[in-house]
Amino acid sequence: MTSLTPESATPEPARSIPVEEVDVASVRAALRSPRRLRIEVLGGLVVALALIPEAISFSIIAGVDPRVGLFASFTMAVSIAFLGGRPAMISAATGAVALVIAPMMRDHGFQYLVATVILAGILQVVLGLLGVAKLMRFIPRSVMVGFVNSLAILIFLAQLPHLTHVPWAVYPLVAAGIVVMVFLPRFTKAVPAPLVAILTVTVFVALTSLAVPTVGDEGKLPDSLPSLFWPDVPWNLETLRIIAPYALGMALVGLLESLMTAKLVDDVTDTPSRKTREAWGQGVANVITGLFGGMGGCAMIGQTMINVKASGARTRISTFLAGTFLLILVVGLGDLVGDIPMAALVAVMVMVSVGTFDWHSIRPQTLRRMPRSETTVMVATVVVVVITHNLAIGVVVGVVVAMILFARRVAHFTSVKDVAHPDEDTKVYAVTGELFFASSNDLVHQFDYRGDPANIVIDLSESHIWDASTVATLDAITTKYARYGKTVTIAGLNPASAQRHTRLTTTNP
């Protein structure tokens, strides 16, 4: 152990904020620490700047006015800062939700869209209270890696429209922004590198009067505050029939993306979160958003990574300020925000995509060491997400593929062996392995019905019955032996297997 010399004791005052080490996500601790508070404030500002073009783009996808997406991002971020279970996570209008509700806007109009958002929020609250967040334990690690990698690819692909058919000056501006974000953290982390990059590129463009695309070119920014809105639709069963399918789709997509993002942030920050609270909190936030005429949303993974990884934010302060700054910027400072070059924001998002991608997962040594089934699940998740541009669909497909491959692998672990002949009229078979629908289907073919003696004992002490399919298979084996006048005794069942077998078998009176 190092001795405590006067020289080694001098840095001790630097540990004047032990509360951050106890609970880094504590708002109270952040308010008492100027350093942490600065990180949260600047992180919220960077996220707000990055939210503007995204919200406008998603509004266009949904077929609504840009103000609908911008106000939705404001209400979602501010609401979830108080309601959510994952500190520092950013919720706002998202592309996944926009894709789900776009047909509703196209076929039935804005009033029905808002009614859909409110109903989706209510469904999310119900699902959250029913414990849907607990289903996250069934998502394999390989699906999570595929989710992260496909997210990084989607973030990068979303920047390509801003890099094609644009003035040549856009490319060096994007490169300059990336250089700032790569090298600035090596000298200081007092100010988030993305914020410095945005300011540097913006000032340079303003001084040189370069004609490049700006935030203002993406859509008109609002000039007034959001107000309460109640959708003018008939509140009857016909309206419910119209909006319910879209509301359910939005609720499921939003919850899945939010819970997956929360799990990702848990891993990045090495801190836990309350997934159940996050689930119903997303629902309440969507109800509030709908009541202000917003398009709804869920957790935004790209902006969350900006907040957590690039800026180092850890508390609800940054989430709240992201929404607050967004409203101030678009309503109060719309003219200045409109002049921000898109190149600066593209540079930020490119770095986010690079930082989000799990490069370790595609290294040759990793691929050689990893089982092929795990790599298959990851690749399937990535391919489906990139093709559909829907993270929720990709995750569902990845989980299904993982289940199939797992069942296939486990099914081969079951064996049947002839282990004993206590007398000339008795034969004992030992069955080992987990018995479920995939492994027990071939079990019926593992016995010599014609050649075996009169008494058969099937020892299951080294196996476990998991489902009705296995019980039905054992019944079929007993029936086939009975055709030859032979009796079967099932022995060695553990208590759970015995209970399941007794309840489900059809061979006992």
Side-chain angles (χ1 to χ4, degrees), residues 20 33-46 189-192 307-308 310-315 317-318 321:
E20 286 192 72
S33 168
R35 173 180 171 274
R36 168 54 55 187
L37 185 59
R38 183 183 71 250
I39 291 174
E40 300 296 319
V41 172
L42 294 178
L45 179 58
V46 175
K189 294 184 179 180
V191 181
N307 195 42
V308 173
S311 301
R314 293 293 183 271
T315 76
I317 296 174
S318 58
L321 290 179

Side-chain angles (χ1 to χ4, degrees), residues 331-345:
V331 175
L333 303 173
D335 292 338
L336 292 177
V337 172
D339 291 333
I340 295 176
M342 284 301 301
L345 299 177

Side-chain angles (χ1 to χ4, degrees), residues 86 89 144 257-267 271 273 275 278 299:
R86 173 63 262 179
M89 193 166 78
M144 191 68 190
E257 191 159 340
S258 297
L259 293 174
M260 290 289 286
T261 304
K263 191 173 186 301
L264 176 60
V265 178
D266 289 351
D267 293 339
T271 57
S273 62
K275 304 297 190 303
E278 184 62 41

Side-chain angles (χ1 to χ4, degrees), residues 410-454:
V410 174
H412 295 302
F413 292 161
T414 304
S415 65
V416 178
K417 294 182 180 179
D418 176 359
V419 295
H421 298 263
D423 55 63
E424 61 181 11
D425 291 327
T426 305
K427 184 176 182 179
V428 180
Y429 285 100
V431 180
T432 60
E434 304 301 316
L435 298 177
F436 64 110
F437 61 90
S439 61
S440 61
N441 279 338
D442 294 332
L443 199 63
V444 72
H445 304 297
Q446 306 299 313
F447 300 89
D448 184 5
Y449 301 99
R450 187 184 301 272
D452 281 343

Side-chain angles (χ1 to χ4, degrees), residues 218-469:
E218 296 295 301
K220 184 179 178 181
L221 300 178
D223 54 6
S224 61
L225 296 175
S227 57
L228 285 173
F229 180 90
W230 185 252
D232 184 16
V233 297
W235 294 97
N236 52 33
L237 290 178
E238 177 62 20
T239 298
L240 182 63
R241 183 190 66 80
I242 293 172
I243 68 175
Y246 296 98
L248 180 60
M250 174 182 166
L252 294 176
V253 168
L255 280 180
L256 183 56
E257 191 159 340
S258 297
L259 293 174
M260 290 289 286
T261 304
K263 191 173 186 301
L264 176 60
V265 178
D266 289 351
D267 293 339
V268 171
T269 62
D270 196 25
T271 57
S273 62
R274 298 164 61 184
K275 304 297 190 303
T276 296
R277 175 174 172 176
E278 184 62 41
W280 65 255
Q282 290 283 337
V284 176
N286 269 309
V287 171
I288 294 173
T289 298
L291 292 176
F292 279 92
M295 60 181 279
C298 61
M300 292 195 74
I301 309 173
Q303 274 66 20
T304 297
M305 289 298 100
I306 291 176
N307 195 42
V308 173
K309 292 191 72 172
S311 301
R314 293 293 183 271
T315 76
R316 300 175 185 276
I317 296 174
S318 58
T319 306
F320 173 78
L321 290 179
T324 304
F325 283 143
L326 173 65
L327 187 65
I328 294 173
L329 289 171
V330 299
V331 175
L333 303 173
D335 292 338
L336 292 177
V337 172
D339 291 333
I340 295 176
M342 284 301 301
L345 299 177
V346 168
V348 172
M349 298 310 294
V350 167
M351 288 301 297
V352 168
S353 69
V354 172
T356 301
F357 197 91
D358 186 352
W359 298 100
H360 175 75
S361 66
I362 61 172
R363 291 177 180 173
Q365 56 267 38
T366 302
L367 295 176
R368 285 194 298 267
R369 186 178 70 253
M370 195 69 61
R372 289 186 179 180
S373 59
E374 300 289 323
T375 303
T376 300
V377 171
M378 181 193 72
V379 172
T381 304
V382 172
V383 170
V384 173
V385 170
V386 172
I387 291 176
T388 64
H389 281 229
N390 192 312
L391 290 163
I393 294 176
V395 170
V396 171
V397 170
V399 171
V400 171
V401 172
M403 291 170 59
I404 294 173
L405 293 177
F406 174 77
R408 181 174 179 270
R409 185 167 64 250
V410 174
H412 295 302
F413 292 161
T414 304
S415 65
V416 178
K417 294 182 180 179
D418 176 359
V419 295
H421 298 263
D423 55 63
E424 61 181 11
D425 291 327
T426 305
K427 184 176 182 179
V428 180
Y429 285 100
V431 180
T432 60
E434 304 301 316
L435 298 177
F436 64 110
F437 61 90
S439 61
S440 61
N441 279 338
D442 294 332
L443 199 63
V444 72
H445 304 297
Q446 306 299 313
F447 300 89
D448 184 5
Y449 301 99
R450 187 184 301 272
D452 281 343
N455 299 311
I456 304 300
V457 177
I458 300 178
D459 182 8
L460 299 179
S461 57
E462 297 298 325
S463 61
H464 186 94
I465 296 176
W466 287 104
D467 61 2
S469 296

